[in-house]
Amino acid sequence: MKKTKLMTLTAILTTINVVFSTFITIPIGPIKALPMQHFINVISAVFLGPWYGLAQALLSSFIRNLLGLGTIFAFPGSMIGVLLASLLYKYRKQLTIASLGEVIGTGVIGSFVCIPISWLLGLGKIAFWPLFLSFFFSSLIGAIASYILLKAFEKRGILKKLKNDN
């Protein structure tokens, strides 16, 4: 895919992510679980690859924080999730593996990376379980939803056509 198309698709997915995150937010204490981020992350993994997917997650997290829709926890969770999902999809070319990469990257690794941030914010050890559970279930919901959509595209030949056009 040409750079212009990649940048345009990155901007479109970032916009969709930010707009839908205003409607679909699950506040859990200092954390805001956003399943839409994970939905977009898996789509980014499939269509954009690791670097533009990472840019989408960074931009989405940054804009949501500027608008007061996100928290500092959005950065490590979403970025690790999309990076792992993208790398796994790049080498395996399976939607299941990309979706699983998002859940492991955000839900497990991302929640552990957020522990030092929670300590810096004075939340201490009590923040781990809410972080882990919100990241895990939010990423699971988003990954399942994107898997269902992408699988439907794949069955109808739309996914192959979209990838060939790009």
Side-chain angles (χ1 to χ4, degrees):
M1 194 182 308
K2 295 188 182 217
K3 267 189 171 179
T4 306
K5 283 186 178 183
L6 284 169
M7 288 190 293
T8 303
L9 188 54
T10 302
I12 290 168
L13 290 172
T14 300
T15 304
I16 291 169
N17 187 355
V18 172
V19 169
F20 279 104
S21 292
T22 61
F23 302 113
I24 307 168
T25 303
I26 305 164
I28 304 170
I31 303 133
K32 292 183 181 177
L34 299 161
M36 192 59 167
Q37 174 70 56
H38 314 294
F39 176 82
I40 296 294
N41 277 357
V42 177
I43 291 172
S44 294
V46 172
F47 289 107
L48 298 176
W51 307 120
Y52 284 92
L54 199 56
Q56 174 277 129
L58 175 67
L59 288 168
S60 295
S61 297
F62 185 72
I63 293 167
R64 284 196 327 262
N65 272 275
L66 281 177
L67 297 173
L69 302 171
T71 67
I72 192 75
F73 299 110
F75 290 98
S78 64
M79 293 172 68
I80 293 168
V82 76
L83 185 60
L84 186 58
S86 297
L87 291 172
L88 289 173
Y89 185 77
K90 182 177 180 178
Y91 295 108
R92 297 292 302 222
K93 300 292 185 209
Q94 294 176 350
L95 298 175
T96 308
I97 298 296
S99 299
L100 187 61
E102 172 63 25
V103 175
I104 293 169
T106 298
V108 179
I109 300 169
S111 59
F112 278 104
V113 170
C114 286
I115 291 172
I117 296 170
S118 67
W119 286 341
L120 288 172
L121 295 175
L123 300 172
K125 292 185 278 186
I126 61 164
F128 174 72
W129 285 109
L131 269 169
F132 177 78
L133 292 173
S134 65
F135 275 32
F136 184 80
F137 287 111
S138 179
S139 62
L140 184 64
I141 292 166
I144 289 170
S146 62
Y147 174 80
I148 291 168
L149 176 70
L150 290 170
K151 201 66 175 167
F153 281 2
E154 185 178 64
K155 283 183 181 179
R156 288 170 180 77
I158 298 169
L159 185 61
K160 187 175 181 180
K161 183 180 179 334
L162 287 172
K163 292 200 63 91
N164 286 340
D165 287 349
N166 298 326

Short mmCIF file of all heavy atoms in Angstrom, two decimals, residues 3 57 113 150:
data_model
loop_
_atom_site.label_atom_id
_atom_site.label_comp_id
_atom_site.label_asym_id
_atom_site.label_seq_id
_atom_site.Cartn_x
_atom_site.Cartn_y
_atom_site.Cartn_z
N LYS A 3 2.22 5.07 0.70
CA LYS A 3 2.25 5.86 1.93
C LYS A 3 1.02 6.75 2.09
O LYS A 3 0.49 6.89 3.18
CB LYS A 3 3.50 6.73 1.97
CG LYS A 3 4.66 6.11 2.65
CD LYS A 3 5.76 7.13 2.82
CE LYS A 3 6.83 6.54 3.70
NZ LYS A 3 7.94 7.47 3.90
N ALA A 57 -2.75 4.09 17.19
CA ALA A 57 -2.99 3.94 18.64
C ALA A 57 -2.45 5.16 19.40
O ALA A 57 -3.10 5.66 20.32
CB ALA A 57 -2.34 2.66 19.15
N VAL A 113 2.44 -3.22 32.29
CA VAL A 113 3.24 -2.02 32.03
C VAL A 113 2.65 -0.80 32.74
O VAL A 113 3.37 0.13 33.09
CB VAL A 113 3.36 -1.78 30.50
CG1 VAL A 113 3.98 -0.43 30.18
CG2 VAL A 113 4.17 -2.89 29.86
N LEU A 150 -14.25 -8.76 10.49
CA LEU A 150 -13.23 -9.14 9.52
C LEU A 150 -13.48 -10.53 8.95
O LEU A 150 -13.24 -10.79 7.77
CB LEU A 150 -11.84 -9.05 10.14
CG LEU A 150 -11.35 -7.63 10.43
CD1 LEU A 150 -10.08 -7.65 11.27
CD2 LEU A 150 -11.14 -6.85 9.14
#
